[in-house]
Amino acid sequence: MKRAAFFVSDRTAITAEMMGHSLLTQFESIEFEQINLPFIDSVEKAEQAVVQINAAAEHYACKPLLFITLIDRAVIKVIEQSEGMIFDLLNTFIHPLEQELGIHSAHAVGRSHGMRIYSTYKLRIDALNFSLANDDGNTLKHFPKADIILLGVSRSGKTPSCLFLALQYGILAANYPLVDDDLESSRLPEVLKPYRDKLFGLTIAPERLQQIRKERRPDSSYAEYQQCQYEVNAVEKIYRAQHIPFLDTSAVSIEEIATTILQTSGLERRLHG
């Protein structure tokens, strides 16, 4: 069974996609064709979107699911004329909030992801630049400023976790790869010892690590199962010996990894959405 799901927004559609996708994952027996329709901020664009939505309805012979984050009533009325089933992710909650708070909402387009406050936007960009500059142990001079330093073998999820922590939470996250020399010694590298309180380890199942490495460098010793198994066993031995908290990333989403890191380390997020 397959069905179309549209994420419709007057801005980037990130909010609609995140919320809609979270709901759709609860229905594993259905395959969804997921389509983003961002910047639907005029009646003309809404009419074009309706054409696309109705075509999907005809193609799949059932109503497309429409997860919308739209403010303009004129735009919403056009979308309501489509053959889709609408799930309004903003207006469902705005009216009850207005009643409870005793004030009217701004009803302004693009509030969820716009540059509302420059200082917040700058914080996000600064954190992102920090993670990029301190990826894979390229430099250690900024480690004193880091909120957290992720450790792990190659392809265990260090870089994407750092970038997510930066973009979503404003965390200054660096990462350091533990390579063969470190693993053979079974000791924490000397350069990391001043930052023990900032260290957090990532590990991964050898089978999953081999799969990821094969995609990057097939037919190499780097991607052999025995090598992957050795590295995982060795790095976990270091974590346990040095009392470094760590997380298995094998079957965990990037969102869960970041949230677990925050909760375990006690870090406070600087950004909210």
Side-chain angles (χ1 to χ4, degrees):
M1 185 176 180
K2 192 169 183 179
R3 194 161 183 169
F6 288 83
F7 308 114
V8 189
S9 173
D10 46 37
R11 294 301 294 168
T12 63
I14 292 174
T15 299
E17 183 180 8
M18 287 179 62
M19 296 178 69
H21 180 73
S22 294
L23 293 169
L24 295 180
T25 58
Q26 301 301 313
F27 302 91
E28 296 180 350
S29 62
I30 302 176
E31 181 182 355
F32 294 100
E33 180 189 3
Q34 301 183 35
I35 305 123
N36 275 34
L37 295 180
F39 303 110
I40 307 300
D41 52 8
S42 69
V43 168
E44 292 74 20
K45 290 180 181 179
E47 290 171 345
Q48 295 170 12
V50 167
V51 172
Q52 189 173 350
I53 292 165
N54 290 348
E58 182 177 357
H59 177 76
Y60 290 111
C62 60
K63 288 185 175 183
L65 307 179
L66 310 182
F67 298 94
I68 71 171
T69 52
L70 300 167
I71 292 295
D72 191 322
R73 281 304 310 170
V75 171
I76 294 173
K77 284 183 178 180
V78 173
I79 298 297
E80 288 175 341
Q81 295 171 13
S82 74
E83 297 297 323
M85 176 68 182
I86 293 177
F87 299 90
D88 193 329
L89 302 176
L90 285 184
N91 290 301
T92 297
F93 304 103
I94 283 181
H95 182 61
L97 275 171
E98 288 177 331
Q99 288 186 316
E100 177 62 27
L101 298 174
I103 59 173
H104 290 292
S105 64
H107 282 275
V109 170
R111 283 297 177 106
S112 60
H113 287 285
M115 287 177 58
R116 301 184 299 274
I117 304 174
Y118 176 73
S119 60
T120 299
Y121 178 78
K122 186 177 184 301
L123 180 62
R124 190 188 305 275
I125 297 303
D126 287 346
L128 176 60
N129 286 335
F130 182 91
S131 290
L132 291 172
N134 295 277
D135 184 43
D136 259 354
N138 289 332
T139 179
L140 305 180
K141 65 181 181 180
H142 300 130
F143 274 24
K145 295 181 180 178
D147 295 315
I148 197 160
I149 301 168
L150 301 187
L151 307 179
V153 300
S154 174
R155 316 309 293 178
S156 58
K158 301 184 302 299
T159 297
S161 298
C162 283
L163 294 177
F164 190 91
L165 285 165
L167 281 170
Q168 293 298 117
Y169 303 142
I171 298 296
L172 300 180
N175 72 78
Y176 187 93
L178 294 173
V179 297
D180 283 347
D181 288 345
D182 304 315
L183 301 176
E184 289 172 7
S185 71
S186 297
R187 292 192 297 268
L188 194 66
E190 288 293 325
V191 295
L192 294 178
K193 288 183 177 179
Y195 313 109
R196 287 183 62 93
D197 293 342
K198 299 182 178 185
L199 302 181
F200 192 99
L202 299 182
T203 188
I204 186 170
E207 298 82 2
R208 177 60 180 147
L209 182 59
Q210 181 189 31
Q211 180 184 23
I212 295 171
R213 288 183 173 183
K214 274 188 172 181
E215 293 174 359
R216 184 176 178 84
R217 286 166 54 185
D219 303 320
S220 67
S221 59
Y222 169 78
E224 289 180 357
Y225 177 78
Q226 291 80 2
Q227 177 65 22
C228 294
Q229 186 178 47
Y230 160 72
E231 291 185 30
V232 169
N233 290 339
V235 79
E236 290 185 6
K237 183 179 179 181
I238 292 175
Y239 295 156
R240 293 188 179 97
Q242 301 297 325
H243 305 289
I244 297 170
F246 67 95
L247 171 68
D248 186 337
T249 65
S250 306
V252 184
S253 69
I254 194 71
E255 294 89 349
E256 291 175 285
I257 293 171
T259 302
T260 301
I261 289 171
L262 285 186
Q263 289 185 324
T264 305
S265 64
L267 285 176
E268 293 188 10
R269 59 191 295 179
R270 295 191 179 94
L271 296 174
H272 294 266

